[in-house]
Amino acid sequence: HVKSEARGQVRVYESKADQVIRDRWVLQADLGHALRNGELSLHFQPQAEINGRIFGFEALMRWTHPTRGAVSPDEFIPLAEESNLILDMSAWVLKEACRTAAGWTHPLTVAVNLSPIQFQHGELPQLIQQTLIDTGLPPSRLELEITEGILLGDFAHIVGLLRRIKAMGVRIAMDDFGTGYSSLSYLQAFPFDKIKIDKSFIQAIGRTEQATTIIRAVIGLCRGLGIPVIAEGVETEEQRSFLAQEHCPEIQGYIIGRPAPIQVYSKIVDKLAPVRTS
Ligand code: C2E
Ligand code: MG
Ligand code: MG
Ligand code: MG
């Protein structure tokens, strides 16, 4: 917005909305260099049986911007998806997660999040196959997490891709269950290996009657269908004990461990790691 002022001066005003759009644009441009500049990294968050025994980790992408510091995935993943940068970033995450897990002396599982964009471009089953070959990770130790939004595309095409991936021996999990639109019909259209109950339901335990009813129903539904279920975002003992009482088999959340560089969990993934005594 250019406004002429007295004595021929011209001043440029930027509205709040313009500034938000420009910030987003600048951040997206910066993201274009992030992978090349080594600004991306992975954190790993433990996944456990209800009794606390850790069986695997979810890999979560992190971006440390040179001047802004840590940028949340909820902010940068949508920017990456808009610009197709997500394709190179996702290929990097998959490779890095598989390479890391292949190095563990305990055969724990690793879960990697997929973006809907990966189902629209390129050869996803081939990328996964090649990554498993390159890293030497057995397919049975890899789990791929998709969200309900992925199924809103060309359903037959996407289910076809999922079946090819599953045929390799890789597991497919439904992330953020209960937050999408098509919740139930796809449970009979594709044999998911795991359902992750969204953390918004877990965080409402003890606060709303509806949340506890929904969680109870989802656990019962999954048990009836024979699909393993994990609760995400478990933070408190109250939440954990409610889930135990409802026979939820698995949990993930701060109560077990926060996402962190894998070195933080070296004692868990590596039986040769020295046990710290101090
Ligand atoms: P998500 O896949 O549902 O991951 C779980 C999110 O919940 C993570 O947020 C994790 O840090 C957070 N979380 C875990 N336990 C707790 C807890 O007890 N309390 C609370 N309040 N939060 C908890 P994060 O790391 O910020 O990631 C946000 C989302 O960004 C992920 O949700 C996922 O959708 C996306 N994302 C992260 N990494 C990747 C990636 O490599 N590829 C793709 N496509 N998406 C990713
Ligand atoms: Mg996830
Ligand atoms: Mg989730
Ligand atoms: Mg999420």
Side-chain angles (χ1 to χ4, degrees):
H1 305 256
V2 179
K3 191 177 169 184
S4 304
E5 298 208 321
R7 281 176 277 124
Q9 282 183 346
V10 173
R11 280 178 62 184
V12 177
Y13 290 93
E14 194 177 39
S15 72
K16 197 83 196 160
D18 288 342
Q19 198 185 323
V20 167
I21 290 166
R22 194 178 51 110
D23 281 357
R24 229 176 112 78
W25 194 80
V26 169
L27 201 61
Q28 195 164 40
D30 290 347
L31 192 56
H33 315 119
L35 185 56
R36 222 175 316 127
N37 292 353
E39 293 161 17
L40 299 183
S41 62
L42 286 186
H43 276 186
F44 290 83
Q45 184 180 33
Q47 301 184 313
E49 291 167 10
I50 191 72
N51 63 18
R53 199 190 72 92
I54 292 169
F55 61 83
F57 288 85
E58 178 176 359
L60 294 159
M61 191 162 18
R62 294 292 178 258
W63 178 24
T64 310
H65 186 279
T67 55
R68 292 182 182 221
V71 182
S72 162
D74 289 327
E75 192 173 357
F76 75 77
I77 300 276
L79 292 179
E81 288 178 334
E82 254 171 39
S83 56
N84 283 344
L85 283 171
I86 194 70
L87 292 174
D88 284 348
M89 290 165 63
S90 299
W92 176 83
V93 168
L94 185 66
K95 182 90 176 264
E96 189 65 14
C98 291
R99 193 187 58 77
T100 303
W104 300 338
T105 51
H106 281 297
L108 305 176
T109 59
V110 68
V112 175
N113 294 282
L114 294 182
S115 161
I117 311 295
Q118 293 179 274
F119 287 80
Q120 293 162 17
H121 302 266
E123 262 296 285
L124 185 58
Q126 236 159 284
L127 174 76
I128 293 160
Q129 184 79 74
Q130 195 57 48
T131 305
L132 291 169
I133 292 168
D134 292 347
T135 61
L137 185 73
S140 60
R141 289 180 53 201
L142 177 62
E143 187 162 278
L144 298 171
E145 300 189 357
I146 68 164
T147 52
E148 292 168 329
I150 285 177
L151 300 169
L152 294 178
D154 178 347
F155 190 82
H157 172 69
I158 286 155
V159 166
L161 290 174
L162 290 174
R163 285 188 197 283
R164 281 171 61 195
I165 295 165
K166 209 173 139 78
M168 297 172 201
V170 172
R171 281 192 307 279
I172 310 283
M174 171 55 63
D175 203 354
D176 302 346
F177 185 80
T179 59
Y181 295 102
S182 49
S183 286
L184 295 177
S185 61
Y186 58 68
L187 291 183
Q188 56 179 1
F190 184 77
F192 286 97
D193 297 289
K194 193 169 285 185
I195 296 292
K196 303 188 76 176
I197 305 178
D198 190 68
K199 57 175 179 285
S200 59
F201 298 106
I202 309 308
Q203 274 152 18
I205 290 172
R207 294 192 192 150
T208 74
E209 193 106 339
Q210 289 90 331
T212 51
T213 303
I214 291 168
I215 293 166
R216 205 171 275 145
V218 171
I219 293 170
L221 175 70
C222 290
R223 189 184 304 115
L225 292 170
I227 309 172
V229 60
I230 185 164
E232 53 174 21
V234 185
E235 294 182 357
T236 68
E237 182 47 38
E238 183 197 8
Q239 293 162 355
R240 198 204 58 78
S241 71
F242 170 80
L243 292 163
Q245 181 194 308
E246 296 299 326
H247 306 289
C248 180
E250 298 176 359
I251 56 175
Q252 177 178 350
Y254 298 165
I255 198 166
I256 300 293
R258 290 189 176 249
I262 196 61
Q263 290 77 12
V264 168
Y265 294 110
S266 61
K267 276 197 285 185
I268 292 161
V269 299
D270 198 344
K271 54 186 165 196
L272 302 175
V275 176
R276 227 176 283 146
T277 48
S278 58

